[in-house]
Amino acid sequence: MGLSSAAATDGAQLCVFDLRRGQQEGQELDKILFFHPADCPILLQLSVIGLCEGIITFTRIFSPEDDCEVIESDKHSHVFYQAEADIWMVLVVEKTKDSESTLRFGALQGILKESHSLFTMFHGPIRALLDRQPSAEIVRGHLHTFVTDYLSDFIVGKKLQLPTYRDSLTERGTVQMLTVSREVALEVQSLTAVLGSCLGNVICQSIVLFEDLLVSTTLPPDDTLNLYTYAILRLTPRALYSNANSWSYLRKGAYINAGPTSSSSNGAAAAERYHSRSRDTSPGGQNQMHHNFRPFQREKLSKGKDGFVAADFATTEVRAAVPLTPILWFQQAEERMYLCVYQHKNLTILLLIPASSVINGEEGIAHVKKHLLENASQNIVTVEQKLTRGWGGENAYHVAGYRYLLVDPDRKVSRASPPGKVNTLSKDSLLALNRLREEIDLEKSRAKRSDPTHDKDYEVCMRAKNNAWVIAKITRGRELYMALEKGGETLLYASTAVEKFSNRYCEGAFSTD
């Protein structure tokens, strides 16, 4: 009953709790690290988390090696994610008349995974923060501001607008790359080399974006994904100048398929690496942890006259506090770096400066920015001009007659029909595709549990109520989802359509030969 009463206030709850805390009677409240909505009565919060803890404990009896992912009841769906060792995030969604056919647990779990990955990038692992301050005041403060700001993109009125069947042809947790010619690639390579030398003998890392598409990166894949995700949510021109709380046209309602690197199996190791590296005395590194750090607040971000995005990330009780250049923790690179953001028209450059190499704090950062403007400006202008001339607009990757999603989970890369084209599909087509993806998600989970070292191939073609074909095909780890309306009556039509698409746009990866 507590769940029903709580759900009525918002339609959904999102909580973060630590199973290692609050084990003594009367201390149960200590395990709660975050709860949305914040005004939910404490007794109802305890009821939700108590039930979730019971489910986790019960399912471990039957499956000790595998985390609980989703539990369905008559009135609610409980989506679980063990972010770090014994630190759980749970999304409780109230079921409505159509929710069973419109909500996909994989897409909902993606919200939990993405919010934790981004939180870790800015604040470090939750476990490391708890070890540093066992009272958990800092962790609760950071989680409250960060996750609340992150969820602002999903809130419509007073309710969370969660990904639904209309987002079936999107994939959270992947990067959308821009295809460039060899000539442009050489120009980008030259720009990357200049960016890397902005600190002299110390190599700086960089990510270059055009519109909301990745052009180049020198970071490892997981770190690239996290910074790319943040950039298109808040830093690209489309995000920076948008007044609406919405995803960019390539991100709205997408879904994450995080690999083992973001799972709880690496949580303890990541926490230890962060804890050891966080002892460096670089200015801003330690001070940042004591500010009210709000990287997802839209009003904190603006582009200055010099082209750099001025980020008033830090606010303190002292009104005259100097804004800090944010320091990010990159788990895969195992390094903390300052983030500098520069924009020229539709080009966004994310320059990452090793924190341990900057001696004079903000003064040192200013020197790096000056070096960038003096040495990279012409390269930036040239790259932006050439990318603009070759850019086909938002419909550049539209394939006539097809509505598709192509995913490479190993490389964490995806490409899809633009939303404007997807919106032309009927509700029946999208609902059928959403149900098909739900079944594929379950099959992939079963296959992973039975043999995690081998990918299983699938091929499914279904006829929707409106006679559209919905297709899912997984081959050698790559995934293709497709909806074809106004198609032929036979299965041969659908098979031939996939074959043509595969040969022309996927290098034959999904062909039967």
Side-chain angles (χ1 to χ4, degrees):
M1 292 185 61
L3 281 176
S4 298
S5 299
T9 63
D10 190 275
Q13 297 87 42
L14 194 160
C15 55
V16 183
F17 56 93
D18 182 2
L19 290 182
R20 299 181 187 178
R21 304 173 67 87
Q23 294 302 312
Q24 300 298 322
E25 185 176 354
Q27 298 179 359
E28 293 82 1
L29 193 62
D30 193 40
K31 69 181 59 178
I32 303 176
L33 302 178
F34 172 82
F35 200 99
H36 171 88
D39 58 355
C40 182
I42 293 298
L43 290 178
L44 293 180
Q45 294 186 31
L46 290 172
S47 175
V48 172
I49 291 178
L51 178 58
C52 292
E53 184 177 3
I55 292 173
I56 292 168
T57 303
F58 180 75
T59 55
R60 279 178 171 173
I61 297 174
F62 302 97
S63 184
E65 301 299 325
D66 298 308
D67 293 340
C68 176
E69 293 186 329
V70 60
I71 293 292
E72 301 282 358
S73 65
D74 290 340
K75 295 184 178 180
H76 298 88
S77 296
H78 297 69
V79 181
F80 295 80
Y81 173 53
Q82 185 174 193
E84 300 174 28
D86 291 325
I87 293 178
W88 287 80
M89 304 178 72
V90 181
L91 181 63
V92 184
V93 182
E94 183 183 20
K95 289 184 177 179
T96 60
K97 182 178 180 181
D98 297 326
S99 63
E100 290 191 49
S101 61
T102 62
L103 296 177
R104 184 165 54 90
F105 92 87
L108 300 180
Q109 193 181 61
I111 296 173
L112 304 179
K113 292 181 177 181
E114 184 171 86
S115 60
H116 174 259
S117 295
L118 294 174
F119 178 88
T120 301
M121 184 175 68
F122 282 102
H123 295 291
I126 296 174
R127 182 62 65 194
L129 296 175
L130 289 171
D131 291 343
R132 185 179 301 119
Q133 200 226 22
S135 68
E137 292 180 9
I138 291 178
V139 171
R140 291 191 179 100
H142 287 336
L143 283 170
H144 174 72
T145 55
F146 188 92
V147 181
T148 300
D149 290 344
Y150 171 82
L151 291 177
S152 66
D153 283 8
F154 299 91
I155 294 178
V156 178
K158 294 184 178 180
K159 290 189 176 183
L160 292 179
Q161 187 68 46
L162 299 171
T164 67
Y165 69 97
R166 297 191 179 279
D167 306 300
S168 300
L169 290 178
T170 53
E171 185 82 356
R172 179 173 272 113
T174 55
V175 171
Q176 289 79 41
M177 301 201 57
L178 179 67
T179 302
V180 298
S181 65
R182 176 178 175 80
E183 177 191 0
V184 177
L186 292 174
E187 293 289 351
V188 173
Q189 186 177 5
S190 177
L191 170 60
T192 302
V194 176
L195 295 174
S197 64
C198 281
L199 200 59
N201 295 329
V202 178
I203 297 177
C204 296
Q205 306 299 326
S206 65
I207 288 181
V208 178
L209 303 173
F210 181 79
E211 295 281 348
D212 281 357
L213 301 173
L214 180 69
V215 177
S216 73
T217 178
T218 61
L219 286 174
D222 288 347
D223 296 331
T224 294
L225 173 59
N226 289 336
L227 188 54
Y228 168 83
T229 299
Y230 175 62
I232 62 173
L233 290 176
R234 289 296 183 271
L235 300 179
T236 62
R238 185 186 302 275
L240 199 59
Y241 303 124
S242 172
N243 293 322
N245 290 339
S246 62
W247 300 90
S248 68
Y249 75 95
L250 284 171
R251 292 286 298 178
K252 190 170 183 180
Y255 151 65
I256 189 169
N257 183 12
T261 52
S262 64
S263 70
S264 59
S265 60
N266 289 332
E272 176 58 31
R273 291 196 299 269
Y274 179 83
H275 189 75
S276 62
R277 292 175 181 269
S278 66
R279 296 190 187 99
D280 72 64
T281 57
S282 59
Q286 296 298 317
N287 292 336
Q288 178 173 295
M289 307 303 285
H290 299 289
H291 286 76
N292 187 15
F293 198 46
R294 307 290 292 270
F296 268 88
Q297 273 197 331
R298 293 178 181 274
E299 59 269 25
K300 298 291 182 182
L301 299 163
S302 61
K303 179 181 175 182
K305 294 182 179 180
D306 59 357
F308 287 95
V309 175
D312 185 14
F313 283 116
T315 56
T316 65
E317 294 179 359
V318 182
R319 293 183 179 275
V322 178
L324 298 174
T325 301
I327 300 179
L328 278 56
W329 158 246
F330 291 99
Q331 178 176 322
Q332 196 172 3
E334 298 187 9
E335 192 164 8
R336 298 170 66 237
M337 305 183 199
Y338 285 97
L339 170 64
C340 290
V341 183
Y342 181 80
Q343 283 185 0
H344 175 68
K345 296 183 178 178
N346 293 317
L347 200 69
T348 302
I349 294 174
L350 310 176
L351 183 65
L352 300 156
I353 308 161
S356 58
S357 302
V358 179
I359 300 175
N360 299 320
E362 292 297 320
E363 183 179 339
I365 297 300
H367 174 75
V368 174
K369 291 180 177 179
K370 180 180 178 182
H371 186 279
L372 186 151
L373 292 174
E374 292 176 349
N375 295 278
S377 293
Q378 187 56 51
N379 298 79
I380 292 171
V381 171
T382 300
V383 169
E384 200 280 335
Q385 288 177 344
K386 291 191 174 184
L387 289 176
T388 299
R389 284 199 295 268
W391 173 233
E394 293 187 1
N395 291 327
Y397 298 125
H398 169 58
V399 180
Y402 291 88
R403 303 294 183 266
Y404 70 94
L405 168 64
L406 178 64
V407 183
D408 188 339
D410 291 336
R411 296 171 56 216
K412 294 183 172 62
V413 173
S414 71
R415 177 165 292 176
S417 295
K421 299 297 183 180
V422 174
N423 288 339
T424 63
L425 290 174
S426 70
K427 181 178 179 179
D428 286 338
S429 298
L430 291 171
L431 283 171
L433 183 60
N434 194 63
R435 286 192 292 269
L436 178 58
R437 291 204 63 186
E438 180 78 34
E439 290 298 322
I440 293 295
D441 288 344
L442 293 173
E443 285 297 323
K444 288 193 297 183
S445 295
R446 296 188 189 104
K448 183 178 179 181
R449 287 194 295 269
S450 61
D451 189 358
T453 61
H454 292 89
D455 294 322
K456 187 175 180 180
D457 292 349
Y458 303 94
E459 182 174 6
V460 182
C461 294
M462 293 175 54
R463 196 73 161 169
K465 291 180 179 179
N466 61 335
N467 289 327
W469 286 105
V470 291
I471 302 162
K473 192 165 185 177
I474 300 177
T475 304
R476 294 182 291 275
R478 298 181 71 182
E479 304 176 11
L480 176 65
Y481 302 96
M482 190 175 289
L484 301 173
E485 292 185 342
K486 300 178 181 179
E489 293 296 328
T490 66
L491 181 60
L492 179 62
Y493 170 85
S495 178
T496 302
V498 172
E499 193 85 7
K500 290 180 179 179
F501 184 89
S502 173
N503 291 334
R504 185 169 182 179
Y505 300 102
C506 309
E507 300 175 346
F510 301 96
S511 299
T512 54
D513 296 337

